[in-house]
Amino acid sequence: MPDAFTTRILNVSTGSAERVVDLTHDCETFLSEVAAGRDGLLNIFVPHATAGVAVIETGAGSDDDLLTALHSLLPADDRWQHRHGSPGHGRDHVLPALVPPHATLPVIAGALEMGTWQSVCLVDTNKDNADRQVRLSFLG
């Protein structure tokens, strides 16, 4: 019988621009290798103080809309007390309060159970750190 709990680290390069990176395929691949047709939960966790996980539609502009909304809510200017790094970097440290660093999603019969237009995404506004890790953990 497969392990009840399995975890894997994804290394994701986000580059030097703010990005929303679709991780859905990576999640599905992980589950196809470890879930063995079982029901359970997939936890996606980003161990970074300046990134988050969102479940949103991608490819139709919603990912860009999310970044635009974050710019409105968290402007990259000098208002932030946290002041190291690029100008306005303090906003990146507030991001996880709005886009949490984790999501837990249902797995039914070994497959990710989401709506038709939903995708699992890494949200990274920190232009100073291009190398991210994402931990995928299946409990089932």
Side-chain angles (χ1 to χ4, degrees), residues 59-138:
S62 297
D63 35 356
D64 291 332
D65 290 342
L66 174 58
L67 292 175
T68 299
L70 290 172
H71 273 274
S72 295
L73 293 169
L74 304 171
D77 57 23
D78 65 356
R79 73 183 70 197
W80 308 102
Q81 293 181 34
H82 189 106
R83 294 185 181 264
H84 74 85
S86 298
H89 174 65
R91 72 182 283 260
D92 300 327
H93 287 273
V94 177
L95 172 77
L98 301 175
V99 181
H102 58 86
T104 301
L105 302 172
V107 176
I108 306 299
L112 197 54
E113 182 73 13
M114 293 195 307
T116 302
W117 305 112
Q118 290 179 314
S119 297
V120 180
C121 298
L122 168 67
V123 180
D124 186 4
T125 60
N126 182 357
K127 298 183 274 189
D128 294 336
N129 186 355
D131 298 315
R132 298 300 188 157
Q133 289 187 336
V134 178
R135 178 179 294 278
L136 304 178
S137 300
F138 174 69

Side-chain angles (χ1 to χ4, degrees), residues 24-79:
T24 308
H25 179 73
D26 295 300
C27 293
E28 290 169 340
T29 299
F30 171 68
L31 290 172
S32 72
E33 295 170 6
V34 303
R38 292 176 290 156
D39 294 351
L41 296 171
L42 174 67
N43 181 263
I44 303 99
F45 177 71
V46 182
H48 299 284
T50 59
V53 176
V55 177
I56 64 169
E57 177 181 9
T58 58
S62 297
D63 35 356
D64 291 332
D65 290 342
L66 174 58
L67 292 175
T68 299
L70 290 172
H71 273 274
S72 295
L73 293 169
L74 304 171
D77 57 23
D78 65 356
R79 73 183 70 197

